[in-house]
Amino acid sequence: MQKNSSFTTPFDFIMEKTSADQTERTSLLLVTGAIEQGGRVMAALLRKGPLVGVTGSALVRNIQGEEVQKLDQIGQDTFLSLFRRSRAVMSVLSEEAEQPDNLPYDQKNPLLVAMDPLDGSSNISVNAPIGSIFAVFHPPLSSSTAPEDLFLKAASPVLSAYLLYSVSTSLVLSFSGETRVFTLDPDTGEFLGADMPFRFPENGKIYSTNEAYLPHWEKSLQEYVFWIKSERNPAMILRYIGALVGDFHRNLLKGGIYLYPAEAGEKSSGKLRLLYEAYPMAHIAKNSGGIATDGKQDILSIVPRSIHQRVPLVVGPSDLVCEFHERTGNPLPGR
Ligand code: AHG
Ligand code: MN
Ligand code: MN
C-alpha cells in the first residue's frame, strides 16, 4: 500500500480529541485498541474462511431465537476477551448473550460497551460483506445502578464504531462530533485513514431496504418507496447488501437512505436492536451530517426499556431523512 504522510491512526484521532480528562483518554484508547485488535483477528480469520472451518452454523440458537453461526461465537469470544484484557470496560452487552458480562477493571473512568460482534450473519456462507458494531457509553452517574440496568440508564454513546470485512477491512470511528474512516493494512496491522472528518455527500440517490417486506408496511411507507423510484426527480436506485454495516457504509460513502421499518400493526417493532445496531449507526450518522429515526423520533432520544429492544430504523444524510419524514407525514421538528 502506498503510504501518505497525511494518514492518521485511530490512536491519533482519540489523542487529538481528548486531553482535558486523562482517565477518559486512557479508557477510550484502550477500548479503541481492543476494537482494532479484534478487527485484525477477525479479518485474518475471514481471509481464510472455509479453509480453516470458521464458516457454517454452530448448530445452536441464540437468545433471540436465531441460528448462531460459528463466526457469531468467534466474534463474541474475540471481542469479549479483548475488552476483558483492556481492564477499561465495566460491562459488555452483546447480541449473543442474554445478560451483560460484567468485567474486572482497574482503569479509572471505566466504560460500557454494547456490541453486535458479527453483523450480517446470513452473508457469511456466500462470502459477502459482514461486520462488527460497537457503542461505547459512560456508565450512569448513580453508583446504585444495578448491573443489569447499566445499559438502560446510560446516556447517548460517547464513541461508536464499526468494522466492515469486505474487499478490505474498514474501521469507522465516531467520537466528539466527528467521524473518521480507516482501512486496515494487512501487512503491518495498522488502521490508516485521512486526517479529516468524514461526512455524507449531498444529493445521494440510493435507497436500501428489503423491499420484499413492503406489502406488510404502513401505506405512507409504501407510497414513499413508490414515489422515490418513479416520481422523484432524480429517481432513486436500490442497493441492498443485507448487512446493516455494509448498507450503512455504502450509503455513508455514496449518499443514501437505509430503511428497516416495522410491519404495520401495533405489536411490530422492526428487527434491528436499539443498543448495539441503531444507537451506534445513529451516533455515527449524527457526527457525519445525518440523522437516524424510528420513523417518528430521533433514535438517540429513545430511552431503552430492555437491553435487547428492537426498533424500526431510518438512517442517512439529513436531506434524505427529512424528505422521508415529509413524505410520510411526520416532519421532523426544527428541520
Ligand atoms: P445479525 O446478523 O447481527 O443478526 O443482523 C442482521 C440484520 C442486519 O444486519 C441486516 O440489515 C438485516 O438483518 C437484514 O435483514 P433481512 O434479511 O430481514 O433483510
Ligand atoms: Mn446485526
Ligand atoms: Mn449479529
Side-chain angles (χ1 to χ4, degrees), residues 259-281:
L259 310 159
Y260 205 117
E263 294 184 0
E266 278 177 14
K267 287 204 179 132
S268 168
S269 50
K271 177 181 184 185
L272 299 171
R273 277 54 63 109
L274 175 61
L275 277 160
Y276 41 85
E277 290 180 318
Y279 260 19
M281 293 317 192

Side-chain angles (χ1 to χ4, degrees), residues 190-225:
E190 280 179 302
F191 280 92
L192 300 170
D195 187 11
M196 64 175 81
F198 201 93
R199 297 183 66 82
F200 283 102
E202 287 176 5
N203 304 318
K205 56 180 176 51
I206 292 171
Y207 75 103
S208 314
T209 194
N210 191 333
E211 217 173 308
Y213 303 137
L214 182 137
H216 307 288
W217 295 347
E218 282 179 10
K219 198 151 185 287
S220 62
L221 293 177
Q222 296 176 350
E223 286 170 354
Y224 164 77
V225 170

Side-chain angles (χ1 to χ4, degrees), residues 50-249:
L51 301 180
V52 287
V54 294
T55 54
S57 171
L59 302 177
V60 287
R61 291 192 175 270
N62 67 12
I63 41 109
Q64 336 245 2
E66 298 154 346
E67 186 180 351
V68 176
Q69 302 294 308
K70 286 183 199 166
L71 273 170
D72 289 318
Q73 280 181 344
I74 292 170
Q76 165 74 0
D77 296 347
T78 300
F79 288 106
L80 187 60
S81 70
L82 286 162
F83 290 131
R84 179 176 285 115
R85 205 184 293 165
S86 78
R87 312 288 297 185
V89 178
M90 190 186 244
S91 188
V92 176
L93 165 67
S94 168
E95 181 190 10
E96 301 303 328
E98 187 165 4
Q99 289 298 323
D101 277 277
N102 295 323
L103 305 182
Y105 59 90
D106 47 30
Q107 292 299 325
K108 297 196 180 81
N109 219 332
L111 299 164
L112 307 175
V113 179
M115 68 173 178
D116 177 354
L118 203 294
D119 177 63
S121 301
S122 64
N123 281 357
I124 296 169
S125 59
V126 295
N127 200 16
I130 54 177
S132 306
I133 313 176
F134 307 89
V136 179
F137 307 86
H138 286 301
L141 288 175
S142 159
S143 57
S144 60
T145 306
E148 60 273 23
D149 285 348
L150 284 172
F151 289 89
L152 304 183
K153 299 205 169 130
S156 289
V158 55
L159 178 148
S160 300
Y162 64 77
L163 287 150
L164 169 64
Y165 316 107
S166 186
V167 172
S168 57
T169 299
S170 301
L171 170 61
V172 173
L173 207 54
S174 217
F175 175 63
S176 188
E178 275 185 26
T179 298
R180 299 286 180 96
V181 178
F182 303 94
T183 303
L184 174 63
D185 181 337
D187 295 333
T188 63
E190 280 179 302
F191 280 92
L192 300 170
D195 187 11
M196 64 175 81
F198 201 93
R199 297 183 66 82
F200 283 102
E202 287 176 5
N203 304 318
K205 56 180 176 51
I206 292 171
Y207 75 103
S208 314
T209 194
N210 191 333
E211 217 173 308
Y213 303 137
L214 182 137
H216 307 288
W217 295 347
E218 282 179 10
K219 198 151 185 287
S220 62
L221 293 177
Q222 296 176 350
E223 286 170 354
Y224 164 77
V225 170
F226 181 79
W227 178 75
I228 53 175
K229 63 186 182 184
S230 56
E231 291 173 359
R232 188 182 187 274
N233 185 15
M236 295 176 76
I237 54 163
L238 173 64
R239 291 284 182 273
Y240 193 65
I241 289 169
L244 175 63
V245 167
D247 283 306
F248 181 92
H249 191 72

Side-chain angles (χ1 to χ4, degrees), residues 287-300:
N287 287 342
S288 317
I291 317 176
T293 76
D294 66 353
K296 304 271 185 302
Q297 58 183 322
D298 191 326
I299 287 286
L300 294 172

